[in-house]
Amino acid sequence: MTPTVVWVHGDCLAPDGPALRAFPAAPAVFVWDDALLRRRLSLKRIVFIYECLLELPVTIVRGSVAAEVAAFAAAHGARRVATSDSVSPGFAAICRRLAATLTVEVLAPPPFIPPDVPLDLRRFSRYWQQAGPLALQPTPPDDA
Amino acid sequence: MSAPLRRSFADRADLVAYVREQFPEAAARDATVSPIRGGQRAARERLARLNPVRYAATRNALDGAVTGLSPYLRHGVIGLAEVRDAALAAVRRAADAGKLINELGWRDYWQRVYRQIGRGIWRDREPLKTGWPASAYAAALPDDVAQGTTGLACIDAFSQQLRDTGYLHNHARLWLAAYLVHWRRVRWQAGARWFLEHLLDGDPASNNLSWQWVASSFSSKPYWFDRDNLERLSGGRFCRGCPRAGDCPFAGDRAVLYRRLFPQLPPEAPR
Ligand SMILES: Cc1cc2nc3c(=O)[nH]c(=O)nc-3n(C[C@H](O)[C@H](O)[C@H](O)COP(=O)(O)OP(=O)(O)OC[C@H]3O[C@@H](n4cnc5c(N)ncnc54)[C@H](O)[C@@H]3O)c2cc1C
């Protein structure tokens, strides 16, 4: 199997998150993002996130995210980084930078609405007309 | 690779002391720590107490049976699907969990919009429907709101709770946002930035798009409220000793209030 590391980020701090679950033996890293810290991340939030991290099998570092993840992968001789999906544009940008030197595998958490259902996002009411009935269905056992 | 940070602490006080030392720039701005604890164990304890029927009946009241799950959902400590499944498991008929699942849907919806528009969430999605031009709104957060010194017992308490705990009930958020945007005529972005800094669940999608919903740049009309509404859902706790009860900006006839806030708009259809 390709040597892999897991990149854990602030949008998926679950011990059973998809990347940690798919690669339970892989070394994992979390990076306190210097850019985000400069943009006024409060101490309240830092403590909250830190408490989440203490339940996860991760190495915690601080710096520039893509550079630190790449260095962590190199230190472990890994060619692939696995992570959990996020909608944020900052996440997409970091993935693009990582993809320059590593294979990036993005894993999705169990979906709230089945994927690939086309949804009208103009207003919540339109979205919910389509999504509401699907959201009332429990997660199928093999997706959980 | 930079040197790893510590992972082992005697207790919470030990962790907090370490974080204050490692993140001095944040500590210098505001060294407050929330009583709300991070981690999946804490999230699951809340999840175990889920009561979707009481939630549906009481969620609008400040002391209603809301879940307090938002910081955990925001950081993916638990997922929307897991909360939905727990809600369904806690009721006899799926419809009894409908209200809670509908609210989870708001988070899912904002996330999808964010995926689509990215940093566009910082710009008005649509023109405001308040009758006021964008230039009528101030760019900066007023100090008295940021410090909680307006003299309005409700607003000051919300400001304080935001800074002390990083959590506010949905209605406190709505009222504080409407007060800033419609009464003080401040640009929603100033309020959104303030919330994002302090909320443990601070999330560009849910936060900014909710502010836009209040402001009316992502809805068909502005959200506003009156004293009756606030007094009822807060059990009167603020109005009772409020130093400004005599000149409450939220009190009075709804039609008069509406005309004061939105003088350029035609009168509101009666409800
Ligand atoms: C001005 C303003 C700013 C807001 N900023 C944020 C924010 O930064 N992050 C955030 O998660 N929520 C935000 N909300 C939405 C909502 O107020 C909070 O999600 C909710 O109050 C959190 O408390 P709870 O977990 O007890 O909610 P509950 O009522 O117990 O709801 C359960 C979960 O559903 C989701 N949810 C419920 N209502 C909403 C909603 N209107 N929009 C989005 N998700 C919702 C949340 O994930 C919440 O944890 C904002 C609302 C307003 C009006």
Side-chain angles (χ1 to χ4, degrees), chain B residues 184-231:
Chain B
R184 303 293 296 266
R185 220 160 294 130
V186 172
R187 290 184 60 189
W188 65 260
Q189 287 93 334
R193 248 179 275 119
W194 183 47
F195 269 31
L196 273 183
E197 180 178 353
H198 289 284
L199 288 172
L200 295 184
D201 62 34
D203 178 312
S206 292
N207 182 65
N208 290 25
L209 296 169
S210 294
W211 277 90
Q212 299 220 38
W213 186 85
V214 168
S216 72
S217 51
F218 197 9
S219 66
S220 57
K221 56 179 194 307
Y223 168 85
W224 64 289
F225 65 97
D226 67 0
R227 175 168 163 174
D228 284 350
N229 177 236
L230 187 148
E231 199 164 9

Side-chain angles (χ1 to χ4, degrees), chain A residues 45, chain B residues 50 55 59 65-74 80 83 100 102-108 110 167-178 195-196 199-214:
Chain A
R45 185 98 75 116
Chain B
L50 217 57
Y55 177 86
R59 59 176 284 273
V66 295
T67 65
L69 286 171
S70 53
Y72 308 97
L73 283 164
R74 155 67 182 91
L80 287 173
V83 179
L100 177 53
N102 177 272
E103 295 303 317
L104 297 174
W106 277 98
R107 176 172 171 78
D108 185 62
W110 298 137
Y167 176 84
L168 286 175
H169 185 280
N170 184 50
H171 266 96
R173 299 181 198 213
L174 285 167
W175 296 328
L176 195 46
F195 269 31
L196 273 183
L199 288 172
L200 295 184
D201 62 34
D203 178 312
S206 292
N207 182 65
N208 290 25
L209 296 169
S210 294
W211 277 90
Q212 299 220 38
W213 186 85
V214 168

Side-chain angles (χ1 to χ4, degrees), chain A residues 13 16 25 28 34 42 47 53 57 65 67 72 94 100-101 105-106 119 131 138:
Chain A
L13 296 175
D16 53 356
D34 270 335
S42 73
V47 168
L53 290 173
V65 181
F72 184 80
I94 291 167
T101 54
E105 189 165 340
V106 178
L119 296 164

Side-chain angles (χ1 to χ4, degrees), chain A residues 4 7 25-26 30 38 46 51 58-59 63 74 78 124 136 141:
Chain A
T4 302
W7 167 40
F30 174 91
R38 273 194 300 273
I46 296 174
E51 285 177 321
V58 285
T59 299
F124 178 81
L136 276 178

Side-chain angles (χ1 to χ4, degrees), chain B residues 41-137:
Chain B
R41 260 193 305 269
R44 293 249 164 96
E45 277 165 27
R46 284 181 191 272
L47 206 54
R49 293 197 296 268
L50 217 57
N51 186 332
V53 174
R54 271 193 53 218
Y55 177 86
T58 65
R59 59 176 284 273
N60 285 326
L62 290 195
D63 59 0
V66 295
T67 65
L69 286 171
S70 53
Y72 308 97
L73 283 164
R74 155 67 182 91
H75 289 290
V77 179
I78 52 170
L80 287 173
E82 181 179 358
V83 179
R84 178 259 317 282
D85 294 346
L88 289 173
V91 295
R92 245 170 301 163
R93 292 170 308 141
D96 290 340
K99 191 63 213 169
L100 177 53
I101 293 173
N102 177 272
E103 295 303 317
L104 297 174
W106 277 98
R107 176 172 171 78
D108 185 62
Y109 175 66
W110 298 137
Q111 291 277 300
R112 286 172 192 271
V113 174
Y114 190 26
R115 170 120 43 202
Q116 211 171 57
I117 67 176
R119 303 198 202 285
I121 50 168
W122 284 102
R123 292 188 293 272
D124 286 351
R125 296 280 293 140
E126 300 160 13
L128 297 171
K129 290 113 193 150
T130 57
W132 295 102
S135 59
Y137 295 81

Side-chain angles (χ1 to χ4, degrees), chain A residues 44 55 58 60 62 127, chain B residues 5 7 25 40 108 163:
Chain A
K44 288 186 281 290
E55 291 184 357
V58 285
I60 305 168
R62 174 172 179 172
Y127 151 82
Chain B
L5 274 69
R7 294 199 41 110
E25 45 315 41
Q40 200 180 58
D108 185 62
R163 287 172 287 124

